[in-house]
Amino acid sequence: MSTQASTAQQHVITTPASELVLCRYCDLLQQLPALQDGEEADCQRCGHELDARQRESAIRPILYAISALFMLVLTNLFPFVGMDAAGSHRDMDFLDTSAVLLSENYPWLAILVWLFIQAIPAFCMIAIVYLKLGMYIRLPALVQTARLLYALKPWSMVDIFLIGLIVSFVKLLTHFEISLGMSFWAFCIFCLLHLRTFQVVDRHELWSRIAPAPQPVQGKIAGETGLSQQLKVCNCCTALVPLEQPTCSRCGTKVRQRIPDSVQKTLALLFTATILYIPANFLPMMETVSLGDSIESTIISGIILMWQDGAYPVAIVVLLASVVIPVLKIAVMFWLCYLTTLPLSERSQHGTWVYPVVDWIGRWSMVDVLVVAILAALVRFDALVGVYPGMGTFVFACVVIITMLAAMSFDPRLLWDPSPTEQLETRQ
């Protein structure tokens, strides 16, 4: 059930008991309605979620997170995947996905894989349990833990790794016999529990319980922008902060009325990603050594090879993740930056819902990088056959990370602000 936040008509809020919220996407000040379990409040202007009430919000996140951690432990205890080739057998443990890369002198890829699929996901689950317990018993460093949790959340990529595993298996099944160990199924359950844990965590309630923040509501008008009323929102904990106050009184984060030089930073990162994306398509993503012969494959040649082998769905997935999504994300982010220069009356409001989509979908481009890491860890048969990451993997990983940073540096509230020219005319 969805409940629209407040009414379209403006009204003065005078009681400190009224809970006001600022939309992080369009900067509209709104009164948060009373929500029942299972309901959510959406912004009346841009439609983005302001708050949601989860059923049994205290116990369910703890149970899901503990179950996820248990499955992650099982994932590391038993064989993950087995592979047979010409009478030789090799078992890969889950930790091998990074350990083998480290032993083969690919430390940058080993560290990325370990962080994305082990360290960060495990920390997120531990942090959620810790924070939920901290809502009821006094525990130290709750605010710092919550800040770190939401900063690292976008970099938890267990779901992307699972898709990478499926792509890798399809590539290998034409030449090798694959057997799935107990740890593989434990990892699949871990992925589901990990995603579900974040779904049942009510961010607004979590922050309100661990560190209630005073609201500067006296005389403020719901239905107008926060900036026009000398208010800004903390992007970390969503608390309201007076414009003259440099840091959030709840979480201690430095709060700006807008991300400083947002468009300039975004454009610089986009140009960098565009330049790097060109060699990423020509440099080899991986090298396959078989009986002394070496074959290098790029992103495009790998897609063509999978298509020729009849793996059409997987070829399409890799094409989308490695070609369509990066190009589309860069193009859309350039378009969003351009929209901020147009007068308000000439802007397309499609940018309001497009931005969260490209922000979320861009991380899926990491599939190809994780596929190379999986193949490099799994295909190790001494002189018979081996797979090694190429320089293209490093360059393409840089492209994905830079585009993610570009999306994070863009301030979507600029899509609702007057253009720089309009602001200059207003001052004059």
Side-chain angles (χ1 to χ4, degrees):
M1 177 178 178
S2 177
T3 304
Q4 290 296 322
S6 84
T7 177
Q9 298 179 349
Q10 297 179 0
H11 55 280
V12 178
I13 304 297
T14 56
T15 169
S18 299
E19 186 174 10
L20 294 178
V21 292
L22 266 177
C23 178
R24 295 184 296 122
Y25 289 92
C26 71
D27 196 43
L28 188 68
L29 187 66
Q30 295 154 83
Q31 185 176 8
L32 194 64
L35 299 176
Q36 302 298 321
D37 287 349
E39 292 183 340
E40 70 177 38
D42 299 327
C43 175
Q44 63 179 2
R45 179 156 74 165
C46 67
H48 291 295
E49 182 184 293
L50 297 174
D51 190 18
R53 286 291 177 268
Q54 301 294 333
R55 295 180 178 88
E56 299 176 354
S57 60
I59 190 65
R60 283 207 301 169
I62 295 177
L63 294 178
Y64 279 127
I66 292 177
S67 300
L69 288 169
F70 178 70
M71 287 299 163
L72 183 59
V73 171
L74 293 182
T75 300
N76 284 276
L77 290 180
F78 302 99
F80 193 70
V81 179
M83 191 170 71
D84 293 282
S88 299
H89 179 80
R90 171 174 171 76
D91 283 322
M92 184 190 83
D93 296 331
F94 187 59
L95 191 59
D96 286 344
T97 50
S98 52
V100 170
L101 295 171
L102 189 62
S103 65
E104 293 290 342
N105 296 319
Y106 298 102
W108 57 270
L109 186 56
I111 292 172
L112 279 182
V113 171
W114 179 75
L115 287 174
F116 291 161
I117 69 173
Q118 289 239 49
I120 293 177
F123 170 80
C124 289
M125 296 299 98
I126 294 171
I128 288 174
V129 173
Y130 186 79
L131 290 170
K132 280 295 178 179
L133 292 176
M135 291 168 57
Y136 303 99
I137 58 177
R138 300 191 66 176
L139 295 173
L142 290 175
V143 169
Q144 293 80 356
T145 302
R147 286 179 57 179
L148 191 55
L149 169 66
Y150 286 103
L152 293 178
K153 179 185 174 183
W155 304 98
S156 179
M157 299 187 180
V158 292
D159 47 349
I160 301 174
F161 183 76
L162 183 58
I163 300 300
L165 283 170
I166 296 172
V167 172
S168 303
F169 294 162
V170 173
K171 281 188 173 186
L172 294 172
L173 280 174
T174 56
H175 305 287
F176 306 97
E177 183 178 340
I178 303 294
S179 58
L180 303 179
M182 185 183 297
S183 288
F184 173 80
W185 302 112
F187 179 74
C188 292
I189 299 174
F190 167 70
C191 287
L192 295 175
L193 292 170
H194 178 273
L195 295 174
R196 185 58 180 158
T197 302
F198 277 114
Q199 289 176 348
V200 298
V201 172
D202 185 340
R203 182 174 181 173
H204 186 83
E205 180 202 23
L206 178 67
W207 275 108
S208 299
R209 296 290 294 273
I210 65 173
Q215 283 206 320
V217 300
Q218 189 67 32
K220 305 304 179 182
I221 301 176
E224 293 199 0
T225 64
L227 197 59
S228 67
Q229 302 183 80
Q230 301 297 301
L231 288 177
K232 52 190 176 181
V233 62
C234 175
N235 283 322
C236 178
C237 70
T238 71
L240 297 179
V241 181
L243 202 61
E244 69 277 3
Q245 186 174 313
T247 59
C248 176
S249 57
R250 173 155 64 182
C251 67
T253 303
K254 181 178 288 187
V255 182
R256 306 290 184 93
Q257 60 186 32
R258 295 292 183 267
I259 297 176
D261 303 317
S262 171
V263 174
Q264 293 87 338
K265 292 176 183 177
T266 303
L267 288 174
L269 290 168
L270 289 175
F271 279 118
T272 303
T274 302
I275 293 170
L276 289 176
Y277 186 66
I278 297 173
N281 281 278
F282 293 98
L283 291 171
M285 287 289 288
M286 66 180 182
E287 178 187 9
T288 304
V289 179
S290 179
L291 299 175
D293 294 329
S294 176
I295 302 175
E296 294 181 340
S297 60
T298 62
I299 294 174
I300 302 300
S301 65
I303 295 172
I304 294 173
L305 183 60
M306 283 186 288
W307 189 269
Q308 291 174 344
D309 289 340
Y312 305 124
V314 176
I316 293 172
V317 168
V318 177
L319 175 66
L320 289 174
S322 301
V323 179
V324 176
I325 290 177
V327 173
L328 188 62
K329 181 173 182 177
I330 291 173
V332 169
M333 290 303 301
F334 272 123
W335 175 65
L336 292 177
C337 291
Y338 170 70
L339 284 182
T340 63
T341 65
L342 298 178
L344 276 171
S345 58
E346 298 179 15
R347 291 182 197 170
S348 168
Q349 295 306 325
H350 292 306
T352 301
W353 64 265
V354 168
Y355 168 73
V357 173
V358 297
D359 184 29
W360 173 80
I361 204 171
R363 58 198 287 274
W364 285 89
S365 296
M366 196 64 74
V367 164
D368 220 7
V369 175
L370 294 177
V371 166
V372 174
I374 294 165
L375 294 176
L378 186 57
V379 184
R380 280 286 187 272
F381 288 98
D382 299 328
L384 181 61
V385 62
V387 172
Y388 305 91
M391 182 56 67
T393 308
F394 172 74
V395 179
F396 186 73
C398 290
V399 172
V400 177
I401 292 173
I402 290 172
T403 55
M404 290 180 66
L405 294 175
M408 293 176 184
S409 66
F410 181 77
D411 196 330
R413 293 169 294 185
L414 297 176
L415 297 171
W416 296 89
D417 287 347
S419 67
T421 303
E422 290 174 319
Q423 294 179 21
L424 183 61
E425 291 174 352
T426 302
R427 295 191 192 100
Q428 293 175 347

